[in-house]
Amino acid sequence: MTITDVNTAFANEKTRQIDAARGREQAFQARIDRGEIRLVGGNQYEVLTGWDRGERFTVSRNAQGEIDAILAAHGLDSRADGTIALYASSPAWHGLGQIIPGGTTDIDTVLRAGGLGFTVTTVPALYKWGGELREHVDHFHTVREDTGAPLGVVGRRYAPIQNRQGFEFLQELVGRYDVIWESAGVIKGGRRVFISIRLPETVTVDADGINDLIIPYVAVMNDHSGQGTFQCVVTPWRPVCANTERFAVRDAVTRWAVRHTAGAVDQIKEARRTLGLSVKYFEQYAAEETALARTDIAVADFHQVIAKLWPLDDDATDRTKTNHATRLAAVDDLFRTETERVGRTAYAAERAITGYLDHVTPRRPGKTMTEEIARATAALEGSDDEIKSKAHRRLLLLTRA
């Protein structure tokens, strides 16, 4: 018979708890010291690096002042078991979701882990009038078949593109190029879902100079609300500052979209052709970015580009002038930061502009979205692609001057 000393067991358990608490504190402080996160006031912190740059979270502490919980403002949905509807191949700063270290090549695992395994159907739009239930002809609701939750109102021609149907065409790329699924998740109650893969070849800008690394991704978003399309984008991503830098370079396709109709699934197969052009896109992209990196730029020229992107009318209101000045100050600050790393070049100017659009410019989130998710969605959907391309073209003119 084994006799347990309760007092010793209690002391050992308490020691383990104290050591664990100290470990959490030390790890948290180490992230601050490395410049990955910073205190912005009270118990609010901001992420400074990676995909999640700009996001904020709250740290709660117990009576002893030890970290009790990290509450992330991630904006992602929860699954039926209470876990976050997110799959990732590496952990994010908030530590949430289903992480498979090193990723997986199996789409079913991704759909299950990311909470994307549900299907969508349409049901008649009904309303009550005079005590009688009536049908709104040619109008339907999209509904999740697992929970019955309504997602949107659509017309007669709308045909849901199921998540697996829409995403499985990428499985061929995963198998052919030996890449993995990077991330997948659900936002806005299932109204939107996303998935991404990383292409195998990285892109280097100015290999003999700044040697800046660009990581190419393919991202796909499916919309079940009736307010958007099924779309696929090829997007360059800079890990140093988490900017998405999708420009309309010559002879390349970076975006492909289709509406939810009966023939949509067959059309999705055409996305393979779009993705096949991605190699050409990145070759041209690297050449143009290298030209920018080798072109010095004066601050006056940079301000002239800014003035063309965001013109200020002579009769602008005081509020508009204030907002304009605030924007210029923010972009100037980003430009100074970039010049410290890559020199005062057209490349630094472009980094400052894309950085402002991706991380600083105000976003108005919907009722079910945080500002961080609204910002990430805008980057994926290409809300600022036009102005980024305009800046890119104007800066390229300086390389030929």
Side-chain angles (χ1 to χ4, degrees):
M1 177 177 178
T2 301
I3 299 175
T4 301
D5 186 331
V6 176
N7 291 327
T8 300
F10 176 80
N12 290 338
E13 177 62 24
K14 194 64 179 177
T15 298
R16 285 193 293 271
Q17 292 175 358
I18 292 173
D19 289 344
R22 286 175 178 168
R24 286 196 299 271
E25 290 286 352
Q26 291 171 356
F28 192 74
Q29 185 60 48
R31 300 195 71 180
I32 295 176
D33 295 340
R34 290 195 300 268
E36 296 176 4
I37 56 178
R38 71 181 178 94
L39 178 67
V40 294
N43 57 353
Q44 292 279 318
Y45 291 80
E46 181 181 15
V47 183
L48 302 177
T49 61
W51 279 106
D52 310 297
R53 178 179 174 177
E55 294 190 19
R56 296 192 176 191
F57 61 93
T58 301
V59 174
S60 64
R61 296 179 181 274
N62 57 26
Q64 289 73 42
E66 302 164 341
I67 293 177
D68 185 48
I70 295 178
L71 309 174
H74 48 76
L76 294 157
D77 286 1
S78 296
R79 305 193 308 175
D81 60 4
T83 58
I84 299 302
L86 173 69
Y87 152 79
S89 63
S90 58
W93 61 270
H94 45 61
L96 300 174
Q98 286 54 250
I99 310 302
I100 300 179
T104 179
T105 58
D106 180 55
I107 186 173
D108 292 311
T109 300
V110 173
L111 295 176
R112 183 169 56 253
L116 286 74
F118 65 90
T119 53
V120 176
T121 190
T122 56
V123 297
L126 306 176
Y127 65 97
K128 202 169 186 178
W129 182 261
E132 178 186 19
L133 194 62
R134 298 185 179 184
E135 180 179 341
H136 192 172
V137 179
D138 289 338
H139 285 72
F140 300 85
H141 291 283
T142 50
V143 175
R144 286 184 61 152
E145 291 195 285
D146 58 342
T147 64
L151 303 177
V153 179
V154 298
R156 177 175 53 84
R157 296 183 59 197
Y158 184 95
I161 299 175
Q162 304 300 343
N163 295 333
R164 199 186 195 291
Q165 284 181 310
F167 297 146
E168 65 184 0
F169 79 97
L170 288 175
Q171 184 70 50
E172 179 181 329
L173 291 179
V174 171
R176 183 193 305 171
Y177 296 111
D178 193 29
V179 297
I180 61 170
W181 298 96
E182 280 288 329
S183 63
V186 182
I187 56 178
K188 302 183 72 175
R191 291 174 179 84
R192 290 184 181 179
V193 297
F194 64 89
I195 200 165
S196 72
I197 62 173
R198 173 178 170 173
L199 296 179
E201 299 296 331
T202 56
V203 178
T204 302
V205 174
D206 192 14
D208 298 326
I210 61 173
N211 197 35
D212 211 12
L213 178 67
I214 306 294
I215 299 177
Y217 283 86
V218 174
V220 182
M221 179 174 279
N222 196 9
D223 183 287
H224 296 301
S225 71
Q227 301 300 310
T229 58
F230 176 94
Q231 55 182 313
C232 172
V233 296
V234 175
T235 182
W237 180 66
R238 292 181 69 236
V240 171
C241 67
N243 290 2
T244 56
E245 310 200 336
R246 192 165 46 248
F247 310 126
V249 302
R250 178 176 56 84
D251 299 331
V253 178
T254 59
R255 178 176 300 280
W256 180 91
V258 63
R259 292 192 170 278
H260 292 66
T261 58
V265 175
D266 290 334
Q267 294 180 53
I268 287 174
K269 296 175 183 178
E270 280 296 304
R272 291 192 182 93
R273 184 184 63 85
T274 298
L275 298 179
L277 295 174
S278 62
V279 173
K280 179 182 292 186
Y281 169 79
F282 283 111
E283 288 174 353
Q284 182 68 18
Y285 171 86
E288 293 184 1
E289 294 296 281
T290 296
L292 294 179
R294 296 176 179 176
T295 301
D296 293 333
I297 184 174
V299 174
D301 291 332
F302 177 55
H303 284 177
Q304 189 172 20
V305 172
I306 298 300
K308 294 291 185 181
L309 295 177
W310 293 285
L312 182 65
D313 296 331
D314 294 335
D315 58 350
T317 64
D318 290 341
R319 181 178 181 181
T320 299
K321 292 178 180 178
T322 299
N323 291 340
H324 183 82
T326 300
R327 180 191 298 115
L328 180 60
V331 179
D332 264 344
D333 185 56
L334 290 169
F335 182 54
R336 283 191 293 271
T337 299
E338 289 292 344
T339 57
E340 292 176 0
R341 192 178 69 85
V342 297
R344 185 173 290 178
T345 61
Y347 186 71
E350 189 174 70
R351 301 290 71 70
I353 293 168
T354 56
Y356 173 80
L357 292 170
D358 284 347
H359 307 298
V360 181
T361 189
R363 300 288 181 193
R364 293 184 179 180
K367 294 181 180 180
T368 60
M369 299 175 73
T370 64
E371 182 176 354
E372 290 78 16
I373 289 295
R375 193 177 299 282
T377 302
L380 178 59
E381 293 184 334
S383 300
D384 298 314
D385 281 5
E386 185 175 349
I387 194 168
K388 287 180 180 181
S389 290
K390 186 176 181 181
H392 182 73
R393 290 192 298 270
R394 289 191 175 279
L395 289 168
L396 277 177
L397 291 177
L398 298 178
T399 69
R400 303 165 187 139

